[in-house]
Each structure stands twice: as C-alpha cells, then as structure tokens.
Amino acid sequence: MLRSLVGSEMCIRDRFHLAGRANDPAVADAESVIQDLCMNLPRISLVPHIKDPAVWDQWSTELCQRLGFDENKHATGPIIWSAGRIIGDATTLKAYVRRIYGRCITKEYEELQVLARENLRLCLARDKAQAARKSQVAELRDQSASLSHQIESLQTESHQANQTVSCLAAEWDARVAVSLDKLDHELPKVLQRDKLSVELHKLLKLVSRVYQQGQSPRSLSALYGDEGTAQGLIGWLNYNTPSPLLTLQSDDEATTEVLKLLTRACHDLSAHDDHASESEECDLARDLRSWCHSVQAVLNWEGLANFAEALVARRRVAGEFEAVVTQQEALACRIEEITEQIAVHSDPCDAQASASCNMPVNKLVQLSLGALAEAVWDSIDTSASGFVGKNQMLGAAVMVDLGQEFCAHDAVGLWNEAEVRFEDFKALVEAVVVTEGEDKVKRALAEATSKHGLTVKLQ
C-alpha cells in the first residue's frame, strides 16, 4: 500500500473532512469513496460537514476564509481536506485516493441521487432537532433569568425581614433575660421527695394550668414526671422554638386568663420564697417565678403581635427562597445537560458565538470546564485537523504556561502516542481535575485563556 507521508503526519492525514450541500450527488460520491477507505483501511476516518443547501453559500465562504482555502475555487463544494490541507472536490479526491491508497470505488449516478436525497432528509432532521435543543435552552435560560430576579428580590426581602426580627428579638430577649438551665434537674429532684409543701404544690398546679393552656390537662405527676416538661417550659421563652406565646397573643380571652393565673402564681411564689429561702424547693420556686415573670412581660409587650408577624414573614421568605434556589439548581442541571447534547451534535466547523479574550479571569472561571479546554485546544490545533503531534502540543506556549500539572501528567497514557486528539486532551484535563481539583484547573485554563487572548465558544 502506497503512502505519501510517514510517521505521525501520515496518521494525521488519515482523517478526512468532507463538507458540501446535503442534496449534492457529488457529496454522496465523495462520502462513498471515503467510507470505503474507512471500512477497508486502518486509521482512516471521516468527519462529515453535510449542510442544508439554504445555508451552504455563507457557511462555505466562512469556512474557506477561516481555514485559508481559496473561496473562489472551493466554496461551491464539495470541500475535502485533511490535516488542514485542501484536497479539493470529489474528482480531486478520487485521484488522490487512487494515488495514495491504490483503491477508489465508483457508484452509478442514479444511486448517488438516492443517497443525496437521503442525506438531505437526515440533514434537515438533524438541524431541526438541534434547533429544538437550542430553543429549549433559550427558554430555560429565560426561566433561569426570571428565577435570578426572584432570588435577588427575595434576598432583599429576607435582609429586611431579618433586620425587623433582630430589632424585635432584642426587645423579646430583654423581657426573658433569665437562665433556666437547671430547671430540668430541679423539677425531678424536688418531685422525688415524699411530700411537697402545700405552697409549692399550689404553685406547680397554677404553672401547669398556664403551661397546658388550650390542651387536655394532665395530672401533676404525669405532667412534671415527663422529662420534656422542663424543656417545654424553657421553650416558652424561646421564640425560635417557636414559643406558644407567639400564637397565644392572638387570642385575647386566653391571654387574659393566662395573665390572671400568672399574677396569682407570682404572688404565691414570692410568699413561698420568703418561707423557704434555704430549701431545695426554694431553688425550684425561684426559677418558676422567673419563668412566670418572663411570660408576663412578653404577654404584656405591645410589640408581641408585630414580632409574631415578623417571624412568620421571615419563615415565609426563607421557604420561598429555598424553593426558588432549588428550582434554579434544577434548571441549571437541565441547561447543562441539553448544552452538552448541543455540543455533541454540533459541527466544530460551524461559526460559533464566542466570548472574547477581554473577559477577566474571574468571569472566565464561571464558564464550563469544557469550554475553556476547547479554547486551549483550538489554540494548539491551529489547522483544525483534530490531531496534533505530541511535540507540537508540548511546545505550544499555552501548554508551557499550564505547567507540569498538565505536561507531566500521564494518567491517561497521553504522551505514549505520536499524535494527540481533542478527546485525548479532554481526558487529560479530567485526569488533572482528579488530582488537582476542578477549581484549580479551571483557574489555570482561565488564566491561560486570558493571557494568550484565546476565544471561548459559547452555546
């Protein structure tokens, strides 16, 4: 088998690019020739760029200008090239493969017409599916932008709600500035005594009536024997629990009844404290008095209703914020998924929307890892052949700047090959991410992109 090139360059030239109108029989002819080579010879591959006839004229002109081909000679198509070097049209291709590979199939014109019609059908279906993906991404990005506005609004509302709560919370705390940390130890200890004083028994009964307001009453032994009762009493003074006082304040009748019970309890507690200042019962009585006075102070506070409303508003805003953020995250995942599908089905030779090198590094790092990796690769593969020699890649200025993390990494056996493909380079980037972390790799790629004035393709 004859070859015009040797070594790594020969392998690079085995990748044929074929561009042309989908309905052109000459394109079908060239495609058949290259497909025959692919089936019969190793390392031969075809990269088709089959286009809708409606977009061909502009697309082919831009391609020729981008790759340095003579547009006056080649823009009519088909355009066939390899390793960045023009081969020509279908006729030139046939002569080329006969000379280089010693074989070239031929098909009847009627069969080529059938293939051209099928190419057109597949091309239009492909473009329609791709357009649908891009439209879906555009809609999802609009939804994401709307959610971003909602998030900004909710953040402002949340900040205002937190300020309101903080101001009112300070007033609440001033009314309940007591320590009841020992209450859960004092209650069981005192209740284990064989006999309680009449005064303390009366006080416990009054406190239980306050504590069980609006509930089915339990016996004193059942209520105070419950390990959760002490923490429940403490919870009345904690607005984050949330305290039952926040809902009790909206019931004027219940509030009046509770205040009456508290007045009696505070009076009896004071009397009990005077008679038993040295007893264990006194420690419990002192804490119960503090609890009663604090509950009284809160219920008599004119700002209690406003505080309750502020807490409800803050919880509502927090809930809405969490829900919107969850939606935003789900949308971001869906957008990334469809964007990847668009990239898979995109023609790398299509003109791409791009972000210029003028973007600062802190903006570039917000782009996807794949987009930054592709920008670096494009700066190395200047011929757009899809392959570069190992030495060409290692000698590229951008690779030198990326440093030893990239150039010395061999987790994917990259440097064992004579040539490197884009898929190999992506595997290298992913391998470096595993050892160095995605943030560090993205920053390295972003800094290289900015320094060398690379262009990042956007979907």
Side-chain angles (χ1 to χ4, degrees), residues 168-428:
L168 293 171
E171 296 191 44
W172 170 289
D173 291 339
R175 287 165 173 76
V176 299
V178 296
S179 175
L180 302 178
D181 293 341
K182 297 181 180 180
L183 191 60
D184 55 351
H185 299 295
E186 293 168 351
L187 266 176
K189 184 177 181 181
V190 173
L191 291 174
Q192 287 173 3
R193 296 162 61 110
D194 292 335
K195 187 176 181 180
L196 297 177
S197 66
V198 175
E199 292 85 354
L200 183 57
H201 185 273
K202 181 179 179 181
L203 298 173
L204 289 170
K205 187 172 182 180
L206 288 170
V207 170
S208 72
R209 289 175 62 186
V210 173
Y211 180 68
Q212 298 181 96
Q213 179 68 31
Q215 304 175 23
S216 299
R218 291 189 287 172
S219 64
L220 291 184
S221 60
L223 177 65
Y224 291 113
D226 185 344
E227 294 180 355
T229 297
Q231 288 303 315
L233 289 169
I234 295 172
W236 271 55
L237 305 182
N238 183 355
Y239 59 83
N240 285 317
T241 305
S243 170
L245 296 174
L246 296 168
T247 53
L248 181 64
Q249 56 82 27
S250 62
D251 187 338
D252 292 339
E253 184 177 345
T255 299
T256 300
E257 178 63 23
V258 167
L259 286 172
K260 288 180 180 179
L261 292 171
L262 289 170
T263 299
R264 289 174 57 191
C266 288
H267 178 270
D268 290 343
L269 282 168
S270 297
H272 179 76
D273 190 40
D274 291 341
H275 289 90
S277 58
E278 300 299 327
S279 70
E280 291 177 343
E281 292 185 2
C282 178
D283 293 333
L284 175 59
R286 186 178 298 109
D287 280 345
L288 290 176
R289 179 200 302 152
S290 297
W291 184 84
C292 291
H293 282 311
S294 295
V295 172
Q296 267 188 321
V298 169
L299 286 177
N300 285 321
W301 174 31
E302 292 181 355
L304 181 58
N306 291 337
F307 188 39
E309 291 176 0
L311 288 170
V312 169
R314 185 174 71 171
R315 284 195 295 272
R316 174 187 59 78
V317 173
E320 291 179 4
F321 180 81
E322 182 178 355
V324 173
V325 168
T326 300
Q327 292 181 51
Q328 180 79 299
E329 291 173 349
L331 272 181
C333 291
R334 183 60 180 149
I335 290 171
E336 182 177 1
E337 177 184 330
I338 300 175
T339 301
E340 289 177 356
Q341 294 175 9
I342 291 173
V344 168
H345 293 88
S346 291
D347 186 338
C349 286
D350 287 345
Q352 300 284 339
S354 61
S356 74
C357 60
N358 294 325
M359 288 182 69
V361 172
N362 65 334
K363 292 293 184 181
L364 287 170
V365 294
Q366 297 175 18
L367 301 178
S368 70
L369 188 66
L372 293 171
E374 187 173 359
V376 171
W377 171 261
D378 287 345
S379 73
I380 300 171
D381 181 18
T382 54
S383 65
S385 64
F387 288 83
V388 295
K390 180 177 73 174
N391 292 334
Q392 177 186 347
M393 182 166 180
L394 288 173
V398 67
M399 286 298 293
V400 173
D401 284 339
L402 286 174
Q404 290 300 308
E405 292 86 353
F406 283 80
C407 294
H409 206 292
D410 199 33
V412 293
L414 180 67
W415 309 122
N416 295 331
E417 301 294 334
E419 76 249 356
V420 181
R421 300 172 302 161
F422 178 45
E423 291 76 10
D424 301 324
F425 181 68
K426 287 195 296 184
L428 169 66

Side-chain angles (χ1 to χ4, degrees), residues 431-453:
V432 178
V433 165
V434 172
T435 58
E436 302 295 330
E438 183 171 343
D439 290 343
K440 183 176 179 180
V441 173
K442 284 184 75 172
R443 177 157 289 277
L445 292 172
E447 289 175 350
T449 298
S450 177
K451 177 179 178 180
H452 292 275

Side-chain angles (χ1 to χ4, degrees), residues 49 54 76 103-104 109 125 135 139 143 147 281 338 360 425 447:
H49 310 279
T76 54
R103 63 181 295 133
C104 179
Y109 186 72
S135 176
E139 291 176 4
Q143 294 177 30
L147 289 176
E281 292 185 2
I338 300 175
F425 181 68
E447 289 175 350

Side-chain angles (χ1 to χ4, degrees), residues 31-56:
E31 187 176 19
S32 298
V33 170
I34 301 173
Q35 285 177 341
D36 173 69
L37 295 177
C38 292
M39 289 187 291
N40 291 281
L41 299 175
R43 303 191 73 96
I44 301 290
S45 63
L46 169 63
V47 182
H49 310 279
I50 311 303
K51 298 301 172 184
D52 181 347
V55 304
W56 171 255

